[in-house]
Amino acid sequence: MKKVSILGSTGSIGLQALDVARKHKLKIQAIAANSSYKVLEEQAREFSPKYVCIYNEKYYNDLKTSLADTDITVLSGMDGLCRIASDKDSDIVLNSVVGMVGLLPTLTAIRSGIDVALANKETLVAGGNIVMSEAKRNNVNIFPVDSEHSAIFQCLQGNDMNRINKIILTASGGPFFNKKKSDLQNVTVEQALNHPNWSMGSKITIDSSTLMNKGLEFIEAKWLFDLEPDQIEIVVHRQSVLHSAVEFKDFSVIGQMGVPDMRIPIQYALLYPHRTECPTRPLSLTDYGTLTFEKPDYETFDCLTTCIDAIRKGGAYPCIVNAANEEAVGMFLNKKISFLKIGELVKESMEHFDHTDISSYEDVISIDNASREFVRSKI
Ligand code: MN3
């Protein structure tokens, strides 16, 4: 029985991972969340983990008091996340925290020789070269949880990486598919939060509406599968049934399909390489009838274009655009800037900074801060 630690257990991915854990009676070694201490307490009572961690120190005492009658160790802050990530009793750490906070726990798990199921995009976008080289050095597996990357990973099973022409990364197109910039000037937070196929946290839902999410996934795919940017094609596929595909040297294309339900990729990452029943429903292709494929609109969705430019330029640029976006999305959610301003700020931040390389975690943090500072200075 695998022992699983979940960082971000009260978020969308975390809750679905616990569903998978319930179904397969996985041992939950640790759970962690940012601030939802009541949900965390309920989860702790159900799964009896060794550790529970609340990232936001403000709620530490509340959580500690509420779990006083148990023998669970209550932790807090980044120290708590890293203690969980380095706990050698767990077989795999599912990292589904939101934002840059996820990078250090990922690196900590890798350095402790523990496999990582990765749902935190920023880990690879901001620190891709460090994370992948550390994973190789420590002989640690990184299992992608994102549906597209899981699809590619599944298509590659039994195949040689040298035999790939390219990958086809599918995109739902988000709630503003077919809209032009002129249509998007007055988009509200509520409209942007309304995603057609997937239910997710607010940061990633906004990222899906700007296609920043696909840009981050493009960068992630480059690192996970060691590809050149030219080997990644983005295709808009509105139904989210084909989760991505791989074209091999013989022009055979292998794709992975399923209903849009994150429990399938989460389960694949947690139970790899085993396939067993998942707590979701089967795919009925005839219910869909038609699957469509189109080119993305790079003109309207400039976040996507900027991300691709960033990974082509390399160095710190992916980290810069990621930080600028995180900052800008926060401002949009707080109704401080317009929807289109997100893309403008992301692009401006990339143009503002000179080329630098990233060779350590400290580099990532200082570049991330500089980019956020730049965005704040523009408002
Ligand atoms: Mn995705």
Side-chain angles (χ1 to χ4, degrees):
M1 196 169 56
K2 261 195 193 173
K3 287 188 187 165
V4 183
S5 292
I6 303 178
L7 307 180
S9 64
T10 62
S12 170
I13 297 288
L15 293 174
Q16 296 179 83
L18 289 174
D19 245 7
V20 170
R22 237 175 240 121
K23 166 95 181 169
H24 300 292
K25 304 197 164 42
L26 300 177
K27 168 72 188 142
I28 299 298
Q29 180 72 4
I31 49 177
N34 178 36
S35 59
S36 323
Y37 73 94
K38 289 202 166 124
V39 183
L40 212 45
E41 184 201 345
E42 277 168 38
Q43 293 178 344
R45 293 196 183 276
E46 179 182 354
F47 291 96
S48 307
K50 183 166 141 199
Y51 297 115
V52 175
C53 173
I54 187 94
Y55 181 71
N56 190 331
E57 318 262 355
K58 214 165 73 183
Y59 303 102
Y60 173 74
N61 282 331
D62 292 318
L63 183 64
K64 183 134 177 83
T65 313
S66 64
L67 290 174
D69 62 320
T70 69
D71 52 13
I72 298 168
T73 306
V74 180
L75 307 168
S76 68
M78 184 55 86
D79 284 352
L81 294 183
C82 289
R83 182 143 161 220
I84 290 173
S86 61
D87 174 19
K88 299 229 194 282
D89 286 339
S90 72
D91 298 303
I92 187 162
V93 175
L94 168 61
N95 186 348
S96 56
V97 306
V98 179
M100 269 296 294
V101 171
L103 178 58
L104 191 57
T106 301
L107 283 171
T108 305
I110 292 171
R111 287 168 185 157
S112 310
I114 300 163
D115 285 347
V116 179
L118 193 59
N120 172 259
K121 292 198 164 81
E122 292 77 4
T123 287
L124 283 176
V125 171
N129 63 334
I130 315 172
V131 170
M132 294 315 286
S133 62
E134 291 259 353
K136 200 175 267 179
R137 187 171 337 129
N138 291 286
N139 217 354
V140 159
N141 293 306
I142 296 185
F143 297 111
V145 169
D146 208 345
S147 61
E148 296 81 357
H149 304 83
S150 172
I152 294 159
F153 181 64
Q154 293 184 52
C155 296
L156 290 171
Q157 296 303 308
N159 286 296
D160 183 346
M161 277 303 292
N162 297 326
R163 307 282 87 184
I164 294 180
N165 281 341
K166 64 172 184 186
I167 63 166
I168 298 161
L169 193 69
T170 54
S172 74
F176 305 131
F177 175 69
N178 259 343
K179 296 270 191 281
K180 297 287 165 207
K181 275 202 171 149
S182 54
D183 306 317
L184 296 176
Q185 259 155 27
N186 301 314
V187 164
T188 63
V189 170
E190 292 69 29
Q191 286 167 329
L193 283 176
N194 185 19
H195 193 277
N197 301 342
W198 299 96
S199 85
M200 308 169 287
S202 56
K203 157 78 167 52
I204 184 174
T205 306
I206 300 299
D207 286 351
S208 298
S209 73
T210 59
L211 298 203
M212 181 74 192
N213 183 55
K214 208 48 56 179
L216 298 177
E217 289 180 356
F218 186 105
I219 297 169
E220 238 188 323
K222 181 249 165 342
W223 289 115
L224 270 173
F225 305 113
D226 194 18
L227 300 165
E228 293 302 322
D230 287 337
Q231 289 179 286
I232 307 172
E233 180 188 4
I234 298 176
V235 172
V236 175
H237 165 49
R238 294 293 287 158
Q239 299 78 20
S240 300
V241 165
L242 175 70
H243 298 304
S244 279
V246 177
E247 181 190 287
F248 293 90
K249 291 279 179 210
D250 60 356
F251 299 118
S252 194
V253 176
I254 299 182
Q256 184 259 340
M257 295 197 278
V259 291
D261 187 321
M262 286 306 294
R263 283 170 293 198
I264 299 174
I266 291 168
Q267 177 171 308
Y268 192 72
L270 294 183
L271 301 187
Y272 178 85
H274 303 292
R275 289 195 187 273
T276 175
E277 199 182 318
C278 182
T280 182
R281 59 191 198 286
L283 170 66
S284 164
L285 279 173
T286 51
D287 281 354
Y288 284 89
T290 309
L291 299 181
T292 59
F293 301 97
E294 291 159 85
K295 290 198 168 117
D297 176 354
Y298 291 104
E299 194 95 18
T300 303
F301 297 97
D302 43 10
C303 281
L304 174 60
T305 315
T306 304
C307 282
I308 297 172
D309 283 352
I311 191 68
R312 280 186 202 282
K313 288 189 171 154
Y317 286 115
C319 177
I320 290 166
V321 298
N322 174 63
N325 177 64
E326 230 176 275
E327 202 62 31
V329 169
M331 289 173 173
F332 173 68
L333 286 171
N334 290 321
K335 307 196 174 175
K336 290 207 177 86
I337 60 169
S338 71
F339 180 76
L340 289 176
K341 191 76 186 165
I342 301 172
E344 287 169 24
L345 286 168
V346 169
K347 188 158 184 237
E348 280 174 42
S349 73
M350 191 173 79
E351 286 163 353
H352 174 77
F353 290 94
D354 292 331
H355 193 289
T356 47
D357 280 321
I358 282 183
S359 50
S360 68
Y361 172 72
E362 289 70 28
D363 289 350
V364 175
I365 296 304
S366 79
I367 289 160
D368 178 272
N369 282 333
S371 177
R372 285 170 198 270
E373 194 56 51
F374 172 76
V375 167
R376 283 194 291 263
S377 76
K378 298 301 265 181
I379 299 306

